[in-house]
């Protein structure tokens, strides 16, 4: 899996979600946004606790989460055109010494400067593939920058433009809660390293890429593995070859949707709520479990509903509905297909006839796909413009600030994973890299419809 180089093409529509939000707030659009504060610069929220306006604004942020220091006024007050010019000028000066990575969910004003665009795993691989870059500026969220640091060379500095760009889902499984869960499971299952008559240990921990380096390190120490949304099934198959059960975190929906597609009954997928003894289950339920699901979720993908799917079908006969597997099970079941962000992108690109697509994933990606593929009608299932709160914390002002710092010889906002965490975390990532999914077509949808 590799990230794709970003090639700018003329677009028939404005791909900027920020422009759409500004129009809503100014009264120039009849569309709706989930929070008008999204029109303000993210530095207005850096000093406040919380994830900021957007899809995660209602989530509880852990105490001690990283905060961003005050951005200098020259960046806060600069016009969009000035910031764009300053970023381009800094890139010209730095040349191959710096590589900018942009996640699919980043705002258009940031992604246009990326050397590579992709999902978190693709971009981490891009960092690994470019040892010549002295600095890697990761326009994404905190766990992504940590993963890039794990896979890049020790001589490379990984930079996150805004330290407040975390991830509420990743924060839903902290290391203390996971360690406590493991201890409670040990009381139920006995020796966690002991094997049964089939050579299987009681539990294999599996963590989604969307988790902290500390969680990846935990998984590495306990014989587990990391997964992405595109290889989750392959990883679960790997885990079931080694353990009777899987402990899957932090996203319950990806775990449930993947295991259900593999034939695991829902009654064998209890939820682990870290605030309850035994996660809220009985010892008997845990003994019968095949997949123990952590009580976490993505607030972006939890916004999608079956009613939205039904409305899309009613208003657009023949519509092709594709959703991300982080969506709730009922939404995935109601859709025509589900897949990772890269799957969605490739499915649209592979459609040979003009098609109407209703997409259930982050709005920045959906709007960019609509702009890049004018032969199709592409819209977000959720009519309310509500981007990822934390991805939206990355702004051209922060990008210009860290790049101009590099020009001046100063590394700002470096993300560095301690070696005691990094070594086992890399082991878990290496296991994932070795568990390759079989090649498969993008979709059978066109043949079935």
């Amino acid at each position: 899996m590799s990230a794709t180089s970003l090639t700018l093409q003329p677009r028939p529509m404005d791909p900027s979600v920020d422009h759409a939000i500004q129009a809503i707030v100014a009264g120039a659009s009849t569309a709706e946004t989930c929070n008008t504060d999204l029109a303000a610069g993210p530095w207005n929220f850096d000093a406040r606790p919380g994830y900021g306006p957007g899809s995660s604004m209602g989530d509880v942020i852990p105490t001690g989460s990283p905060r961003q220091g005050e951005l200098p006024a020259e960046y806060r007050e600069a016009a969009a055109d000035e910031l764009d010019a300053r970023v381009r000028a800094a890139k010209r000066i730095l040349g191959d010494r710096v590589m900018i990575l942009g996640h699919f969910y980043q705002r258009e004003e940031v992604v246009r400067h990326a050397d590579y665009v992709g999902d978190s795993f693709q971009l981490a691989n891009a960092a690994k593939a470019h040892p010549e870059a002295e600095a890697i500026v990761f326009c994404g969220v905190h766990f992504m920058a940590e993963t890039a640091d794990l896979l890049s060379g020790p001589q490379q500095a990984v930079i996150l433009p805004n330290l407040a760009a975390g991830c509420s889902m990743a924060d839903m499984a902290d290391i203390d809660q996971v360690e406590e869960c493991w201890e409670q499971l040990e009381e139920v299952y006995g020796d966690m390293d002991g094997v049964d008559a089939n050579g299987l240990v009681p539990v294999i921990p599996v963590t989604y890429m969307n988790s902290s380096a500390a969680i990846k390190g935990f998984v590495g120490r306990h014989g587990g593995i990391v997964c992405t949304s595109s290889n989750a099934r392959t990883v679960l198959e790997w885990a079931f070859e080694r353990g009777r059960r899987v402990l899957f975190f932090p996203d319950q929906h990806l775990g449930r949707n993947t295991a259900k597609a593999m034939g695991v009954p829902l009654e064998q997928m209890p939820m682990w709520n870290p605030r309850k003894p035994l996660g809220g289950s009985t010892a008997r339920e845990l003994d019968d479990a095949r997949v123990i699901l952590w009580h976490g979720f993505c607030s972006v993908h939890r916004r999608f509903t079956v009613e939205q799917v039904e409305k899309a079908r009613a208003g657009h006969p023949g519509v092709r509905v594709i959703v991300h597997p982080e969506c709730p099970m009922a939404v995935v079941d109601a859709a025509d297909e589900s897949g990772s962000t890269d799957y969605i992108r490739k499915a649209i690109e592979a459609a040979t006839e003009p098609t109407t697509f209703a997409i259930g994933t982050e709005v920045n990606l959906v709007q960019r796909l609509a702009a890049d593929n004018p032969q199709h009608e592409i819209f977000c299932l959720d009519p309310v413009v509500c981007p990822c709160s934390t991805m939206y914390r990355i702004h051209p002002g922060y990008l210009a600030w860290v790049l101009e710092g590099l020009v001046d010889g100063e590394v700002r906002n470096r993300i560095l994973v301690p070696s005691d965490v990094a070594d086992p975390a890399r082991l878990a990532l290496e296991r994932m890299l070795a568990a390759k999914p079989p090649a498969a077509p993008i979709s059978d949808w066109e043949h079935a419809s």
Side-chain angles (χ1 to χ4, degrees), residues 271-292:
M271 181 88 72
W272 184 277
N273 186 331
R275 297 172 185 82
K276 297 181 179 180
L278 293 184
S281 296
T282 66
R284 175 64 180 272
E285 288 169 334
L286 292 172
D287 190 58
D288 291 340
R290 289 281 284 153
V291 179
I292 302 168

mmCIF file with all atom_site columns, all heavy atoms in Angstrom, residues 271-292:
data_model
loop_
_atom_site.group_PDB
_atom_site.id
_atom_site.type_symbol
_atom_site.label_atom_id
_atom_site.label_alt_id
_atom_site.label_comp_id
_atom_site.label_asym_id
_atom_site.label_entity_id
_atom_site.label_seq_id
_atom_site.pdbx_PDB_ins_code
_atom_site.Cartn_x
_atom_site.Cartn_y
_atom_site.Cartn_z
_atom_site.occupancy
_atom_site.B_iso_or_equiv
_atom_site.pdbx_formal_charge
_atom_site.auth_seq_id
_atom_site.auth_comp_id
_atom_site.auth_asym_id
_atom_site.auth_atom_id
_atom_site.pdbx_PDB_model_num
ATOM 1   N N   . MET A 1 271 ? -19.163 -6.246  24.542 1.00 0.00 ? 271 MET A N   1
ATOM 2   C CA  . MET A 1 271 ? -18.519 -4.936  24.621 1.00 0.00 ? 271 MET A CA  1
ATOM 3   C C   . MET A 1 271 ? -17.771 -4.824  25.938 1.00 0.00 ? 271 MET A C   1
ATOM 4   O O   . MET A 1 271 ? -18.274 -5.227  26.985 1.00 0.00 ? 271 MET A O   1
ATOM 5   C CB  . MET A 1 271 ? -19.572 -3.844  24.536 1.00 0.00 ? 271 MET A CB  1
ATOM 6   C CG  . MET A 1 271 ? -18.998 -2.454  24.581 1.00 0.00 ? 271 MET A CG  1
ATOM 7   S SD  . MET A 1 271 ? -18.559 -1.895  22.949 1.00 0.00 ? 271 MET A SD  1
ATOM 8   C CE  . MET A 1 271 ? -20.206 -1.623  22.284 1.00 0.00 ? 271 MET A CE  1
ATOM 9   N N   . TRP A 1 272 ? -16.562 -4.261  25.876 1.00 0.00 ? 272 TRP A N   1
ATOM 10  C CA  . TRP A 1 272 ? -15.806 -4.000  27.100 1.00 0.00 ? 272 TRP A CA  1
ATOM 11  C C   . TRP A 1 272 ? -15.890 -2.514  27.406 1.00 0.00 ? 272 TRP A C   1
ATOM 12  O O   . TRP A 1 272 ? -15.335 -1.685  26.703 1.00 0.00 ? 272 TRP A O   1
ATOM 13  C CB  . TRP A 1 272 ? -14.345 -4.416  26.945 1.00 0.00 ? 272 TRP A CB  1
ATOM 14  C CG  . TRP A 1 272 ? -13.586 -4.249  28.243 1.00 0.00 ? 272 TRP A CG  1
ATOM 15  C CD1 . TRP A 1 272 ? -13.033 -3.107  28.729 1.00 0.00 ? 272 TRP A CD1 1
ATOM 16  C CD2 . TRP A 1 272 ? -13.353 -5.259  29.225 1.00 0.00 ? 272 TRP A CD2 1
ATOM 17  N NE1 . TRP A 1 272 ? -12.461 -3.336  29.951 1.00 0.00 ? 272 TRP A NE1 1
ATOM 18  C CE2 . TRP A 1 272 ? -12.645 -4.647  30.282 1.00 0.00 ? 272 TRP A CE2 1
ATOM 19  C CE3 . TRP A 1 272 ? -13.674 -6.613  29.318 1.00 0.00 ? 272 TRP A CE3 1
ATOM 20  C CZ2 . TRP A 1 272 ? -12.235 -5.359  31.417 1.00 0.00 ? 272 TRP A CZ2 1
ATOM 21  C CZ3 . TRP A 1 272 ? -13.274 -7.327  30.449 1.00 0.00 ? 272 TRP A CZ3 1
ATOM 22  C CH2 . TRP A 1 272 ? -12.565 -6.701  31.470 1.00 0.00 ? 272 TRP A CH2 1
ATOM 23  N N   . ASN A 1 273 ? -16.624 -2.203  28.487 1.00 0.00 ? 273 ASN A N   1
ATOM 24  C CA  . ASN A 1 273 ? -16.708 -0.832  28.976 1.00 0.00 ? 273 ASN A CA  1
ATOM 25  C C   . ASN A 1 273 ? -15.683 -0.705  30.104 1.00 0.00 ? 273 ASN A C   1
ATOM 26  O O   . ASN A 1 273 ? -15.845 -1.328  31.160 1.00 0.00 ? 273 ASN A O   1
ATOM 27  C CB  . ASN A 1 273 ? -18.108 -0.524  29.487 1.00 0.00 ? 273 ASN A CB  1
ATOM 28  C CG  . ASN A 1 273 ? -18.276 0.936   29.880 1.00 0.00 ? 273 ASN A CG  1
ATOM 29  O OD1 . ASN A 1 273 ? -17.320 1.588   30.289 1.00 0.00 ? 273 ASN A OD1 1
ATOM 30  N ND2 . ASN A 1 273 ? -19.492 1.441   29.756 1.00 0.00 ? 273 ASN A ND2 1
ATOM 31  N N   . PRO A 1 274 ? -14.628 0.093   29.907 1.00 0.00 ? 274 PRO A N   1
ATOM 32  C CA  . PRO A 1 274 ? -13.565 0.146   30.916 1.00 0.00 ? 274 PRO A CA  1
ATOM 33  C C   . PRO A 1 274 ? -14.001 0.725   32.251 1.00 0.00 ? 274 PRO A C   1
ATOM 34  O O   . PRO A 1 274 ? -13.257 0.635   33.235 1.00 0.00 ? 274 PRO A O   1
ATOM 35  C CB  . PRO A 1 274 ? -12.500 1.031   30.250 1.00 0.00 ? 274 PRO A CB  1
ATOM 36  C CG  . PRO A 1 274 ? -13.238 1.853   29.247 1.00 0.00 ? 274 PRO A CG  1
ATOM 37  C CD  . PRO A 1 274 ? -14.341 0.978   28.761 1.00 0.00 ? 274 PRO A CD  1
ATOM 38  N N   . ARG A 1 275 ? -15.199 1.293   32.327 1.00 0.00 ? 275 ARG A N   1
ATOM 39  C CA  . ARG A 1 275 ? -15.681 1.869   33.584 1.00 0.00 ? 275 ARG A CA  1
ATOM 40  C C   . ARG A 1 275 ? -16.479 0.869   34.413 1.00 0.00 ? 275 ARG A C   1
ATOM 41  O O   . ARG A 1 275 ? -16.975 1.201   35.499 1.00 0.00 ? 275 ARG A O   1
ATOM 42  C CB  . ARG A 1 275 ? -16.536 3.110   33.296 1.00 0.00 ? 275 ARG A CB  1
ATOM 43  C CG  . ARG A 1 275 ? -15.765 4.231   32.611 1.00 0.00 ? 275 ARG A CG  1
ATOM 44  C CD  . ARG A 1 275 ? -16.664 5.371   32.161 1.00 0.00 ? 275 ARG A CD  1
ATOM 45  N NE  . ARG A 1 275 ? -15.914 6.368   31.409 1.00 0.00 ? 275 ARG A NE  1
ATOM 46  C CZ  . ARG A 1 275 ? -15.613 6.277   30.128 1.00 0.00 ? 275 ARG A CZ  1
ATOM 47  N NH1 . ARG A 1 275 ? -16.020 5.216   29.430 1.00 0.00 ? 275 ARG A NH1 1
ATOM 48  N NH2 . ARG A 1 275 ? -14.921 7.229   29.521 1.00 0.00 ? 275 ARG A NH2 1
ATOM 49  N N   . LYS A 1 276 ? -16.625 -0.367  33.909 1.00 0.00 ? 276 LYS A N   1
ATOM 50  C CA  . LYS A 1 276 ? -17.398 -1.379  34.618 1.00 0.00 ? 276 LYS A CA  1
ATOM 51  C C   . LYS A 1 276 ? -16.549 -2.609  34.914 1.00 0.00 ? 276 LYS A C   1
ATOM 52  O O   . LYS A 1 276 ? -15.650 -2.941  34.128 1.00 0.00 ? 276 LYS A O   1
ATOM 53  C CB  . LYS A 1 276 ? -18.616 -1.798  33.777 1.00 0.00 ? 276 LYS A CB  1
ATOM 54  C CG  . LYS A 1 276 ? -19.608 -0.677  33.510 1.00 0.00 ? 276 LYS A CG  1
ATOM 55  C CD  . LYS A 1 276 ? -20.795 -1.187  32.689 1.00 0.00 ? 276 LYS A CD  1
ATOM 56  C CE  . LYS A 1 276 ? -21.808 -0.083  32.435 1.00 0.00 ? 276 LYS A CE  1
ATOM 57  N NZ  . LYS A 1 276 ? -22.965 -0.577  31.635 1.00 0.00 ? 276 LYS A NZ  1
ATOM 58  N N   . PRO A 1 277 ? -16.812 -3.301  36.033 1.00 0.00 ? 277 PRO A N   1
ATOM 59  C CA  . PRO A 1 277 ? -16.086 -4.547  36.306 1.00 0.00 ? 277 PRO A CA  1
ATOM 60  C C   . PRO A 1 277 ? -16.311 -5.557  35.189 1.00 0.00 ? 277 PRO A C   1
ATOM 61  O O   . PRO A 1 277 ? -17.430 -5.708  34.682 1.00 0.00 ? 277 PRO A O   1
ATOM 62  C CB  . PRO A 1 277 ? -16.709 -5.027  37.629 1.00 0.00 ? 277 PRO A CB  1
ATOM 63  C CG  . PRO A 1 277 ? -17.316 -3.807  38.246 1.00 0.00 ? 277 PRO A CG  1
ATOM 64  C CD  . PRO A 1 277 ? -17.758 -2.945  37.103 1.00 0.00 ? 277 PRO A CD  1
ATOM 65  N N   . LEU A 1 278 ? -15.225 -6.222  34.796 1.00 0.00 ? 278 LEU A N   1
ATOM 66  C CA  . LEU A 1 278 ? -15.267 -7.172  33.670 1.00 0.00 ? 278 LEU A CA  1
ATOM 67  C C   . LEU A 1 278 ? -15.870 -6.534  32.422 1.00 0.00 ? 278 LEU A C   1
ATOM 68  O O   . LEU A 1 278 ? -16.454 -7.219  31.578 1.00 0.00 ? 278 LEU A O   1
ATOM 69  C CB  . LEU A 1 278 ? -16.031 -8.443  34.035 1.00 0.00 ? 278 LEU A CB  1
ATOM 70  C CG  . LEU A 1 278 ? -15.393 -9.346  35.102 1.00 0.00 ? 278 LEU A CG  1
ATOM 71  C CD1 . LEU A 1 278 ? -16.212 -10.612 35.269 1.00 0.00 ? 278 LEU A CD1 1
ATOM 72  C CD2 . LEU A 1 278 ? -13.948 -9.700  34.755 1.00 0.00 ? 278 LEU A CD2 1
ATOM 73  N N   . GLY A 1 279 ? -15.720 -5.231  32.315 1.00 0.00 ? 279 GLY A N   1
ATOM 74  C CA  . GLY A 1 279 ? -16.192 -4.521  31.129 1.00 0.00 ? 279 GLY A CA  1
ATOM 75  C C   . GLY A 1 279 ? -17.690 -4.495  30.980 1.00 0.00 ? 279 GLY A C   1
ATOM 76  O O   . GLY A 1 279 ? -18.208 -4.092  29.922 1.00 0.00 ? 279 GLY A O   1
ATOM 77  N N   . GLY A 1 280 ? -18.432 -4.936  32.024 1.00 0.00 ? 280 GLY A N   1
ATOM 78  C CA  . GLY A 1 280 ? -19.889 -4.976  31.946 1.00 0.00 ? 280 GLY A CA  1
ATOM 79  C C   . GLY A 1 280 ? -20.435 -6.329  31.544 1.00 0.00 ? 280 GLY A C   1
ATOM 80  O O   . GLY A 1 280 ? -21.652 -6.482  31.390 1.00 0.00 ? 280 GLY A O   1
ATOM 81  N N   . SER A 1 281 ? -19.558 -7.313  31.375 1.00 0.00 ? 281 SER A N   1
ATOM 82  C CA  . SER A 1 281 ? -19.987 -8.659  31.001 1.00 0.00 ? 281 SER A CA  1
ATOM 83  C C   . SER A 1 281 ? -19.809 -9.618  32.181 1.00 0.00 ? 281 SER A C   1
ATOM 84  O O   . SER A 1 281 ? -19.144 -9.296  33.170 1.00 0.00 ? 281 SER A O   1
ATOM 85  C CB  . SER A 1 281 ? -19.193 -9.175  29.807 1.00 0.00 ? 281 SER A CB  1
ATOM 86  O OG  . SER A 1 281 ? -19.417 -8.397  28.651 1.00 0.00 ? 281 SER A OG  1
ATOM 87  N N   . THR A 1 282 ? -20.386 -10.809 32.058 1.00 0.00 ? 282 THR A N   1
ATOM 88  C CA  . THR A 1 282 ? -20.155 -11.860 33.052 1.00 0.00 ? 282 THR A CA  1
ATOM 89  C C   . THR A 1 282 ? -18.961 -12.697 32.627 1.00 0.00 ? 282 THR A C   1
ATOM 90  O O   . THR A 1 282 ? -18.544 -12.685 31.455 1.00 0.00 ? 282 THR A O   1
ATOM 91  C CB  . THR A 1 282 ? -21.382 -12.766 33.174 1.00 0.00 ? 282 THR A CB  1
ATOM 92  O OG1 . THR A 1 282 ? -21.566 -13.477 31.927 1.00 0.00 ? 282 THR A OG1 1
ATOM 93  C CG2 . THR A 1 282 ? -22.635 -11.954 33.484 1.00 0.00 ? 282 THR A CG2 1
ATOM 94  N N   . ALA A 1 283 ? -18.416 -13.447 33.576 1.00 0.00 ? 283 ALA A N   1
ATOM 95  C CA  . ALA A 1 283 ? -17.299 -14.336 33.259 1.00 0.00 ? 283 ALA A CA  1
ATOM 96  C C   . ALA A 1 283 ? -17.719 -15.364 32.203 1.00 0.00 ? 283 ALA A C   1
ATOM 97  O O   . ALA A 1 283 ? -16.924 -15.729 31.326 1.00 0.00 ? 283 ALA A O   1
ATOM 98  C CB  . ALA A 1 283 ? -16.805 -15.036 34.528 1.00 0.00 ? 283 ALA A CB  1
ATOM 99  N N   . ARG A 1 284 ? -18.973 -15.816 32.269 1.00 0.00 ? 284 ARG A N   1
ATOM 100 C CA  . ARG A 1 284 ? -19.472 -16.789 31.285 1.00 0.00 ? 284 ARG A CA  1
ATOM 101 C C   . ARG A 1 284 ? -19.514 -16.177 29.889 1.00 0.00 ? 284 ARG A C   1
ATOM 102 O O   . ARG A 1 284 ? -19.111 -16.814 28.901 1.00 0.00 ? 284 ARG A O   1
ATOM 103 C CB  . ARG A 1 284 ? -20.862 -17.268 31.700 1.00 0.00 ? 284 ARG A CB  1
ATOM 104 C CG  . ARG A 1 284 ? -21.550 -18.191 30.698 1.00 0.00 ? 284 ARG A CG  1
ATOM 105 C CD  . ARG A 1 284 ? -20.803 -19.507 30.523 1.00 0.00 ? 284 ARG A CD  1
ATOM 106 N NE  . ARG A 1 284 ? -21.454 -20.371 29.576 1.00 0.00 ? 284 ARG A NE  1
ATOM 107 C CZ  . ARG A 1 284 ? -22.427 -21.245 29.893 1.00 0.00 ? 284 ARG A CZ  1
ATOM 108 N NH1 . ARG A 1 284 ? -22.869 -21.316 31.154 1.00 0.00 ? 284 ARG A NH1 1
ATOM 109 N NH2 . ARG A 1 284 ? -22.962 -22.024 28.992 1.00 0.00 ? 284 ARG A NH2 1
ATOM 110 N N   . GLU A 1 285 ? -19.988 -14.927 29.800 1.00 0.00 ? 285 GLU A N   1
ATOM 111 C CA  . GLU A 1 285 ? -20.037 -14.252 28.495 1.00 0.00 ? 285 GLU A CA  1
ATOM 112 C C   . GLU A 1 285 ? -18.645 -14.054 27.924 1.00 0.00 ? 285 GLU A C   1
ATOM 113 O O   . GLU A 1 285 ? -18.427 -14.224 26.721 1.00 0.00 ? 285 GLU A O   1
ATOM 114 C CB  . GLU A 1 285 ? -20.756 -12.908 28.637 1.00 0.00 ? 285 GLU A CB  1
ATOM 115 C CG  . GLU A 1 285 ? -22.258 -13.036 28.863 1.00 0.00 ? 285 GLU A CG  1
ATOM 116 C CD  . GLU A 1 285 ? -22.899 -11.724 29.264 1.00 0.00 ? 285 GLU A CD  1
ATOM 117 O OE1 . GLU A 1 285 ? -22.205 -10.854 29.833 1.00 0.00 ? 285 GLU A OE1 1
ATOM 118 O OE2 . GLU A 1 285 ? -24.118 -11.577 29.034 1.00 0.00 ? 285 GLU A OE2 1
ATOM 119 N N   . LEU A 1 286 ? -17.704 -13.725 28.782 1.00 0.00 ? 286 LEU A N   1
ATOM 120 C CA  . LEU A 1 286 ? -16.322 -13.545 28.317 1.00 0.00 ? 286 LEU A CA  1
ATOM 121 C C   . LEU A 1 286 ? -15.711 -14.875 27.910 1.00 0.00 ? 286 LEU A C   1
ATOM 122 O O   . LEU A 1 286 ? -14.915 -14.940 26.970 1.00 0.00 ? 286 LEU A O   1
ATOM 123 C CB  . LEU A 1 286 ? -15.485 -12.876 29.406 1.00 0.00 ? 286 LEU A CB  1
ATOM 124 C CG  . LEU A 1 286 ? -15.848 -11.414 29.704 1.00 0.00 ? 286 LEU A CG  1
ATOM 125 C CD1 . LEU A 1 286 ? -15.090 -10.919 30.929 1.00 0.00 ? 286 LEU A CD1 1
ATOM 126 C CD2 . LEU A 1 286 ? -15.541 -10.535 28.496 1.00 0.00 ? 286 LEU A CD2 1
ATOM 127 N N   . ASP A 1 287 ? -16.086 -15.948 28.605 1.00 0.00 ? 287 ASP A N   1
ATOM 128 C CA  . ASP A 1 287 ? -15.555 -17.264 28.250 1.00 0.00 ? 287 ASP A CA  1
ATOM 129 C C   . ASP A 1 287 ? -16.054 -17.697 26.878 1.00 0.00 ? 287 ASP A C   1
ATOM 130 O O   . ASP A 1 287 ? -15.327 -18.342 26.108 1.00 0.00 ? 287 ASP A O   1
ATOM 131 C CB  . ASP A 1 287 ? -15.972 -18.287 29.306 1.00 0.00 ? 287 ASP A CB  1
ATOM 132 C CG  . ASP A 1 287 ? -15.247 -19.617 29.136 1.00 0.00 ? 287 ASP A CG  1
ATOM 133 O OD1 . ASP A 1 287 ? -13.998 -19.621 29.167 1.00 0.00 ? 287 ASP A OD1 1
ATOM 134 O OD2 . ASP A 1 287 ? -15.926 -20.639 28.946 1.00 0.00 ? 287 ASP A OD2 1
ATOM 135 N N   . ASP A 1 288 ? -17.305 -17.335 26.557 1.00 0.00 ? 288 ASP A N   1
ATOM 136 C CA  . ASP A 1 288 ? -17.892 -17.708 25.264 1.00 0.00 ? 288 ASP A CA  1
ATOM 137 C C   . ASP A 1 288 ? -17.488 -16.752 24.135 1.00 0.00 ? 288 ASP A C   1
ATOM 138 O O   . ASP A 1 288 ? -17.785 -17.013 22.964 1.00 0.00 ? 288 ASP A O   1
ATOM 139 C CB  . ASP A 1 288 ? -19.426 -17.704 25.361 1.00 0.00 ? 288 ASP A CB  1
ATOM 140 C CG  . ASP A 1 288 ? -19.948 -18.833 26.237 1.00 0.00 ? 288 ASP A CG  1
ATOM 141 O OD1 . ASP A 1 288 ? -19.202 -19.808 26.452 1.00 0.00 ? 288 ASP A OD1 1
ATOM 142 O OD2 . ASP A 1 288 ? -21.092 -18.723 26.726 1.00 0.00 ? 288 ASP A OD2 1
ATOM 143 N N   . ALA A 1 289 ? -16.821 -15.657 24.470 1.00 0.00 ? 289 ALA A N   1
ATOM 144 C CA  . ALA A 1 289 ? -16.536 -14.612 23.482 1.00 0.00 ? 289 ALA A CA  1
ATOM 145 C C   . ALA A 1 289 ? -15.530 -15.060 22.438 1.00 0.00 ? 289 ALA A C   1
ATOM 146 O O   . ALA A 1 289 ? -14.623 -15.852 22.709 1.00 0.00 ? 289 ALA A O   1
ATOM 147 C CB  . ALA A 1 289 ? -16.013 -13.366 24.193 1.00 0.00 ? 289 ALA A CB  1
ATOM 148 N N   . ARG A 1 290 ? -15.718 -14.519 21.250 1.00 0.00 ? 290 ARG A N   1
ATOM 149 C CA  . ARG A 1 290 ? -14.714 -14.666 20.187 1.00 0.00 ? 290 ARG A CA  1
ATOM 150 C C   . ARG A 1 290 ? -13.996 -13.344 19.941 1.00 0.00 ? 290 ARG A C   1
ATOM 151 O O   . ARG A 1 290 ? -12.809 -13.310 19.665 1.00 0.00 ? 290 ARG A O   1
ATOM 152 C CB  . ARG A 1 290 ? -15.389 -15.132 18.885 1.00 0.00 ? 290 ARG A CB  1
ATOM 153 C CG  . ARG A 1 290 ? -15.875 -16.549 18.914 1.00 0.00 ? 290 ARG A CG  1
ATOM 154 C CD  . ARG A 1 290 ? -14.738 -17.535 18.700 1.00 0.00 ? 290 ARG A CD  1
ATOM 155 N NE  . ARG A 1 290 ? -14.348 -17.577 17.287 1.00 0.00 ? 290 ARG A NE  1
ATOM 156 C CZ  . ARG A 1 290 ? -13.127 -17.902 16.854 1.00 0.00 ? 290 ARG A CZ  1
ATOM 157 N NH1 . ARG A 1 290 ? -12.168 -18.157 17.717 1.00 0.00 ? 290 ARG A NH1 1
ATOM 158 N NH2 . ARG A 1 290 ? -12.872 -17.941 15.569 1.00 0.00 ? 290 ARG A NH2 1
ATOM 159 N N   . VAL A 1 291 ? -14.735 -12.238 20.014 1.00 0.00 ? 291 VAL A N   1
ATOM 160 C CA  . VAL A 1 291 ? -14.150 -10.908 19.855 1.00 0.00 ? 291 VAL A CA  1
ATOM 161 C C   . VAL A 1 291 ? -14.689 -10.022 20.981 1.00 0.00 ? 291 VAL A C   1
ATOM 162 O O   . VAL A 1 291 ? -15.901 -9.859  21.114 1.00 0.00 ? 291 VAL A O   1
ATOM 163 C CB  . VAL A 1 291 ? -14.497 -10.280 18.484 1.00 0.00 ? 291 VAL A CB  1
ATOM 164 C CG1 . VAL A 1 291 ? -13.892 -8.883  18.386 1.00 0.00 ? 291 VAL A CG1 1
ATOM 165 C CG2 . VAL A 1 291 ? -13.995 -11.151 17.344 1.00 0.00 ? 291 VAL A CG2 1
ATOM 166 N N   . ILE A 1 292 ? -13.791 -9.491  21.779 1.00 0.00 ? 292 ILE A N   1
ATOM 167 C CA  . ILE A 1 292 ? -14.170 -8.548  22.830 1.00 0.00 ? 292 ILE A CA  1
ATOM 168 C C   . ILE A 1 292 ? -13.940 -7.147  22.277 1.00 0.00 ? 292 ILE A C   1
ATOM 169 O O   . ILE A 1 292 ? -12.812 -6.779  21.922 1.00 0.00 ? 292 ILE A O   1
ATOM 170 C CB  . ILE A 1 292 ? -13.335 -8.774  24.105 1.00 0.00 ? 292 ILE A CB  1
ATOM 171 C CG1 . ILE A 1 292 ? -13.517 -10.209 24.602 1.00 0.00 ? 292 ILE A CG1 1
ATOM 172 C CG2 . ILE A 1 292 ? -13.730 -7.765  25.180 1.00 0.00 ? 292 ILE A CG2 1
ATOM 173 C CD1 . ILE A 1 292 ? -12.516 -10.611 25.669 1.00 0.00 ? 292 ILE A CD1 1
#
